[in-house]
Amino acid sequence: MATRTDQEEPIMLRPQDTSTRERKNLDGLWRFALDGDRRGRDAGWFARRLDTDRELAVPASYNDLTAEAEVHDHVGPVWYQREVWVPAGWAGRRVVLHLESATHRATVWVGDAEVVSHEGGYTPFEADVTAHVTPGQPVRISVEVDNTLTFRSIPPGEVEQTAHGPRQRYWHDFFNYAGLHRSVWLYATDPAHLTDVTVTTGFAGTDGHVDYRVGWESGPADGAPDGTGGADPDVAVVLRDADGAEVATGRGATGRLTVPDVHLWAPGDGYLYDLELQLVRDGTVLDSYHQSVGVRTVRVDGARFLINEQPFYFTGFGKHEDLAVLGKGHSPAHLVHDVALLEWIGANSFRTSHYPYSEDVLDYADRRGLVLIDETAAVGLNLGMFGRRDQPTFSPDTIDDQTREVHAQAIRELVARDRNHPCVVLWSIANEPESRTAEAEAYFRPLFDVAREADPTRPVGFVNVGLAPHGQCRVSQFCDVIMLNRYYGWYSYTGDLAAAEDAWEAELRDWAGEGKPIIVTEYGADTYPGLHATTPTPWTEEYQVAYLDMNHRVFDRIAEVVGEQVWNFADFATTPGIIRVGGNKKGVFTRDRQPKAAAHTLRARWRGRVAG
Ligand code: GCB
């Protein structure tokens, strides 16, 4: 089998229907069983109909779908299972099973055969299952999904064994939703197929250019009985504009296409070209794949963040994938509604805090011209923040070299999945890790290299926490952009916005001295909707407004601040705790997306601001 790729990253193309490809969606109700005792594998649960009367929905977190605490608070594996008819027309085709995510790790069986395992809850994985299916026949698909977080997972956590069963502990502030959060697909291609594409873009004057690199496999070797062997196929590419008019063509697995009178992708203008890739042999198109392309550049210049050489100012939020009933399950209706609210409020950007979001979100952001900071699931690498001051975060007993390998793989998988999205302008490789010690510096230095090697075209950063202020943080030296989460006037100087304003400005001015662009990636105040006061009173709607106004006065006095992203877009679920009332209430919208008073304040500011 000839392989035309020199990359180490996971190689995959998102399933799509084309003239040569066909998908079958496996969403819906699947049989479901808890397996806290980890008996399922040895007992061969995959080999027969799962012994359960529960059926749960995919895509969704399983946690909130029933009314039972044992499901909501389950720790350990669960099993999903269903049958699917493999289309008769797929005879002679290569058949692939693709899961858009399984949180946090999974093993998959097709019939009795184990076909793939994957670590990490927010990136896709797939297996060639041709040998395990018969077109025209049904097949059983079983997925064991494990939500356990350990010191070897990203995000990390620890399971405590108690008299009442295992309890999952972790150091991040959102509920540990788990399950099959995104779609599952079966798809078919020709045995000779495209495997991968990377596009990078640029422009000079009115000419744009698109550099592409395509991977492919030729299928069974020469002389194979199915006749698919023979001469190596060739790659042909066609670039079309948004009206479908052909603007450039190319041949070969790599090349540069020139786009005269280019229509750039820009914030607020999600203009996309369509790059059709074809794998051709003897005049026959064996495989066809469509890749959207936004022609744009991103660059840091001193303390400026440039998109298409224009200074860009980020307005928007840190978000979560978090919904009533669905948990972290992807919902197209909510995606459309959230983006409508972002546009209503004048946000031009958001951060995929604190994990890679559904690929539908990125596709839609591309089309809407929304700008994304794309984050890995490395959140909570900071034991001290959650009362574990006795234990170092980075040590052989806690987060160690093995964890770093998992983290590196998470970075590679994020970049491999999202590098062709024009909406992504900045990688965030971690949120609020411990960053004051030599161990933190040693842990992170190689991870920045991993990110830059995977994508030399975008700036890289991580999100700094207030516990590592300017002068104490040993990791921000590796960043192209400084990203800060700060809560002056909330967690410190609570209720005293005048003192908060002075302290915040003093710290920001220190950071500004680095000469790098600064994005304030979190600032926010918990707000209970309907709570009011005439005097500055935390938790009231008026306080959230005054708190945001104070922050904005500070940002407007410091030229190096190139972005403001409020924490959070909407209220979201957390673990129970004495500083959380039915979840984290820092949303500018409630969990069911009703505006708090602050939404109108932000709308007035952001709709009045012209980017740059
Ligand atoms: C943070 C975290 C975020 C929390 C937020 C808060 O710094 O990055 O995950 O939810 O603070 O509300 O405390």
Side-chain angles (χ1 to χ4, degrees), residues 71-411:
V71 175
H72 182 261
D73 299 326
H74 175 75
V75 180
V78 301
W79 288 69
Y80 289 85
Q81 191 184 72
R82 65 165 283 176
E83 277 76 40
V84 54
W85 282 87
V86 181
W90 289 5
R93 311 271 289 159
R94 166 182 167 265
V95 181
V96 180
L97 179 64
H98 180 102
L99 291 88
E100 293 188 10
S101 70
T103 313
H104 294 282
R105 71 189 57 76
T107 300
V108 184
W109 289 261
V110 171
D112 292 351
E114 183 178 324
V115 294
V116 66
S117 291
H118 182 257
E119 174 72 30
Y122 303 96
T123 44
F125 56 100
E126 64 180 30
D128 181 334
V129 299
T130 316
H132 309 294
V133 299
T134 308
Q137 294 293 318
V139 67
R140 186 179 55 252
I141 298 179
S142 311
V143 188
E144 181 202 49
V145 184
D146 187 352
N147 68 350
T148 309
L149 299 175
T150 71
F151 280 121
R152 305 288 167 272
S153 64
I154 293 292
E158 203 175 21
V159 176
E160 194 184 318
Q161 298 300 338
T162 76
H164 304 286
R167 300 287 185 266
Q168 178 74 65
R169 313 288 180 212
Y170 45 88
W171 309 284
H172 57 260
D173 181 38
F174 53 94
F175 187 76
N176 187 34
Y177 281 118
L180 296 177
H181 288 152
R182 299 171 192 162
S183 289
V184 180
W185 302 93
L186 210 53
Y187 72 90
T189 72
D190 191 90
H193 59 279
L194 299 159
T195 56
D196 189 34
V197 57
T198 307
V199 294
T200 53
T201 64
F203 63 93
T206 57
D207 278 353
H209 65 256
V210 177
D211 290 321
Y212 69 90
R213 188 176 46 171
V214 176
W216 53 270
E217 287 190 8
S218 64
D222 286 7
D226 64 359
T228 54
D232 265 359
D234 195 8
V235 174
V237 304
V238 184
L239 189 72
R240 297 187 180 88
D241 68 16
D243 296 324
E246 195 173 296
V247 294
T249 59
R251 277 205 101 74
T254 61
R256 167 167 290 200
L257 305 175
T258 301
V259 189
D261 288 325
V262 64
H263 187 146
L264 296 179
W265 186 97
D269 182 8
Y271 190 92
L272 296 174
Y273 292 86
D274 175 68
L275 180 65
E276 183 180 358
L277 317 166
Q278 294 182 335
L279 191 64
V280 187
R281 184 190 282 133
D282 302 330
T284 304
V285 178
L286 302 173
D287 197 7
S288 159
Y289 194 84
H290 291 262
Q291 173 64 53
S292 296
V293 179
V295 181
R296 62 110 182 88
T297 59
V298 178
R299 186 165 77 86
V300 167
D301 175 42
R304 298 187 310 161
F305 193 98
L306 304 178
I307 299 181
N308 299 337
E309 295 298 304
Q310 302 294 318
F312 180 68
Y313 191 95
F314 296 74
T315 59
F317 301 93
K319 283 186 98 259
H320 264 301
E321 291 190 313
D322 176 89
L323 294 166
V325 183
L326 287 167
K328 294 203 173 305
H330 175 61
S331 152
H334 288 88
L335 166 61
V336 168
H337 187 55
D338 278 8
V339 171
L341 293 178
L342 290 169
E343 291 174 354
W344 172 83
I345 208 168
N348 61 20
S349 69
F350 63 89
R351 177 169 58 121
T352 70
S353 40
H354 295 306
Y355 35 82
Y357 286 7
S358 159
E359 288 161 86
D360 283 354
V361 176
L362 283 101
D363 284 343
Y364 195 51
D366 283 342
R367 296 199 293 276
R368 303 303 299 183
L370 269 170
V371 170
L372 262 54
I373 302 174
D374 206 2
E375 188 158 276
T376 69
V379 56
L381 284 71
N382 202 331
L383 303 194
M385 253 174 85
F386 284 76
R388 296 268 292 263
R389 288 176 214 285
D390 49 322
Q391 248 183 320
T393 297
F394 301 102
S395 80
D397 296 328
T398 51
I399 291 168
D400 66 2
D401 289 355
Q402 246 180 291
T403 324
R404 187 172 58 195
E405 277 315 305
V406 179
H407 193 162
Q409 184 62 12
I411 294 171

Side-chain angles (χ1 to χ4, degrees), residues 173 354 431-432 485 487 491 522 567 572 580 584 586:
D173 181 38
H354 295 306
N431 180 70
E432 298 196 345
N485 292 352
Y487 289 89
Y491 289 124
E522 289 185 24
W567 191 254
F572 58 91
R580 298 286 173 252
N584 186 308
K586 294 192 184 68

